[in-house]
């Protein structure tokens, strides 16, 4: 009995110690501070990476990482108000950017040559694609920024530009609403959601997706880029690293943080293409404090570019028709290459529906139907776009699409 009385205090002490250790492990795991042990999130397919020591340390302490509370801007009064604005472009020596000088009016330019250290503007290292240039411009000009900046790729045409503008970057800049940029502070210049929205990247996913190779790399890189922020379960915004910013939005973040981000690009072991791709899906985190930033395509096109379709359903139908025309043109090209020139006399003045029921020449029937489909649908899209541009001249439509209250006399 006496031995039992002697053992009981020891057992009680051991039990308390076990509870204390268990609680400590649970707490540290929950807070993401238990290094070396991946912490599960959700269904067990996500991990919380442990915070890493920051690469860049400007004054002996890490720059602040608390996301700012951004305040919407107020456009200048009066129609045609002028803003100082700069177009920032990342290019290689071989890229042709003469289109900027020839067709971009009213914008100052800052064209960085990534692979020429003797160029007047060049980044410290050719790495991270356009992200290195974007950060370098902000760091270099932080004390003398224009009111509005557009950050874009060097190529005038590319699939990442809006197809409704014939993929033309100069056309996009020509239609860009500076007033929306001011109100938003940050505006992604791609309105179409695909690729990037919704529910696009899952940063802690353990298994590589061949269609989103950058996704798998977020688990390791997130805690290096944002050491004080939890890994989100989802990151979403339309691709592809082209956006507009206001000076106020840039200055709401300390210069040291931009230096920290650029330093990560310089030091990371992640290969060049992927480190740049990672940043394509982080700009909205930095400049909107949102993990998922998927504005309505109608709001983006209407309020942002003055092309108003009334709603997202009509925009989707417009794009679906546009893509069908593209496919039909490809089919027609293959048909002509295989069977020779199409007999123009066989194309009679009938609608596509009428032609589908008509007795057509066997050899030309496919070509006739494809030609009619392209002509009819192209004419319909041209009409819809013209009407959308006309609606875009009315500030009421723009306000409605953006969900803003419209007051008589308000501009865009």
């Amino acid at each position: 009995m006496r031995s039992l009385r002697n053992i009981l205090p020891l057992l009680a002490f051991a039990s308390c110690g076990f509870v204390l250790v268990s609680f400590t492990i649970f707490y540290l795991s929950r807070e993401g501070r238990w290094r070396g042990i991946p912490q599960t999130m959700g269904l067990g397919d996500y991990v919380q990476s442990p915070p890493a020591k920051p690469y860049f340390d400007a004054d002996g302490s890490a720059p602040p990482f608390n996301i700012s509370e951004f305040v919407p801007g107020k456009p200048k009064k009066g129609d045609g108000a002028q803003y100082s604005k700069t177009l920032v472009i990342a290019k290689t020596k071989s890229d042709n950017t003469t289109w900027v000088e020839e067709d971009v009016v009213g914008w100052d330019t800052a064209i960085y040559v990534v692979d020429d250290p003797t160029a007047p503007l060049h980044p410290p290292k050719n790495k991270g694609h356009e992200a290195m240039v974007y950060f370098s411009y902000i760091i270099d000009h932080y004390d003398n920024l224009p009111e509005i900046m557009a950050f874009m790729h060097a190529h005038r045409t590319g699939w990442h530009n809006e197809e409704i503008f014939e993929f033309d970057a100069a056309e996009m800049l020509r239609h860009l609403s500076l007033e929306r940029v001011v109100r938003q502070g940050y505006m992604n210049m791609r309105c179409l959601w695909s690729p990037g929205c919704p529910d696009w990247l899952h940063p802690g996913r353990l298994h590589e997706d061949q269609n989103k190779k950058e996704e798998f790399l977020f688990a390791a890189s997130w805690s290096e880029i944002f050491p004080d922020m939890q890994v989100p379960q989802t990151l979403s915004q339309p691709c592809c690293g082209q956006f507009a910013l206001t000076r106020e939005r840039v200055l709401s973040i300390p210069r040291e943080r931009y230096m920290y981000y650029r330093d990560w690009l310089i030091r990371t072991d992640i290969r060049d293409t992927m480190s740049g791709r990672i940043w394509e899906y982080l700009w909205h985190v930095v400049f909107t404090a949102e993990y998922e930033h998927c504005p309505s395509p109608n709001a983006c096109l209407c309020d942002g570019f003055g092309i108003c379709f009334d709603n997202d359903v009509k925009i989707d139908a417009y794009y679906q028709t546009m893509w069908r025309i593209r496919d039909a043109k490809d089919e027609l090209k293959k048909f002509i290459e295989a069977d020779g020139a199409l007999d123009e006399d066989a194309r009679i003045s009938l609608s596509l529906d009428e032609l589908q029921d008509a007795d057509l020449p066997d050899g030309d029937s496919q070509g006739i139907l494809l030609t009619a489909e392209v002509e009819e649908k192209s004419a319909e899209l041209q009409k819809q776009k013209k009407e959308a541009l006309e609606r875009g001249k009315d500030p009421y439509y723009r306000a409605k699409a953006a969900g803003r209250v419209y007051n008589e006399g308000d501009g865009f």
Side-chain angles (χ1 to χ4, degrees), residues 38-52:
Q39 304 304 318
T40 59
M41 296 175 65
L43 298 176
D45 200 24
Y46 303 91
V47 297
Q48 167 65 59
S49 301

Side-chain angles (χ1 to χ4, degrees), residues 261-279:
Y261 294 148
R262 185 176 70 174
D263 195 69
W264 179 84
L265 277 173
I266 291 172
R267 295 174 180 266
T268 183
D269 293 330
I270 297 173
R271 68 182 187 274
D272 178 51
T273 51
M274 288 296 102
S275 61
R277 185 80 64 80
I278 283 172
W279 271 101

Side-chain angles (χ1 to χ4, degrees), residues 327-368:
D327 292 342
K329 285 181 177 179
D330 289 340
E331 293 173 29
L332 182 59
K333 180 180 178 182
K334 292 177 182 177
F335 173 81
I336 293 174
E337 288 174 349
D339 296 346
L342 184 67
D343 183 359
E344 293 183 6
D345 293 335
R347 170 71 170 101
I348 53 182
S349 182
L350 295 175
S351 70
L352 178 59
D353 290 339
E354 291 170 331
L355 283 170
Q356 288 173 334
D357 296 329
D359 185 15
L360 300 173
D362 291 338
D364 283 341
S365 61
Q366 183 184 3
I368 292 171

Side-chain angles (χ1 to χ4, degrees), residues 130-149:
E130 67 276 355
M132 178 67 71
V133 166
Y134 295 176
F135 285 132
S136 294
Y137 173 81
I138 290 173
I139 293 165
D140 294 345
H141 300 84
Y142 191 85
D143 295 324
N144 189 31
L145 293 169
E147 292 171 291
I148 292 175
M149 294 143 275

Side-chain angles (χ1 to χ4, degrees), residues 359-408:
D359 185 15
L360 300 173
D362 291 338
D364 283 341
S365 61
Q366 183 184 3
I368 292 171
L369 290 172
L370 286 170
T371 301
E373 182 179 12
V374 169
E375 290 177 355
E376 284 194 22
K377 291 184 176 178
S378 296
E380 177 58 29
L381 285 193
Q382 187 176 11
K383 177 185 176 184
Q384 290 181 25
K385 184 175 178 179
K386 183 177 179 181
E387 292 172 350
L389 284 167
E390 195 62 33
R391 281 192 294 269
K393 296 177 182 179
D394 188 337
Y396 169 77
Y397 278 104
R398 294 197 180 201
K400 180 183 177 183
R404 289 186 284 110
V405 176
Y406 175 76
N407 298 305
E408 191 67 34

Side-chain angles (χ1 to χ4, degrees), residues 60-114:
S61 62
F65 280 86
N66 294 326
I67 290 292
S68 305
E69 291 186 8
F70 299 119
V71 178
K74 294 183 179 180
K76 295 179 180 179
K77 294 290 185 181
D79 293 334
Q82 298 298 306
Y83 295 88
S84 60
K85 52 189 185 293
T86 297
L87 172 62
V88 182
I89 287 180
K91 64 163 287 184
T92 63
K93 286 186 289 186
S94 61
D95 288 332
N96 183 357
T97 55
T98 56
W99 62 272
V100 177
E101 299 174 7
E102 295 170 356
D103 292 307
V104 177
V105 179
W107 289 78
D108 294 326
T109 59
I111 301 176
Y112 281 68
V113 186
V114 298

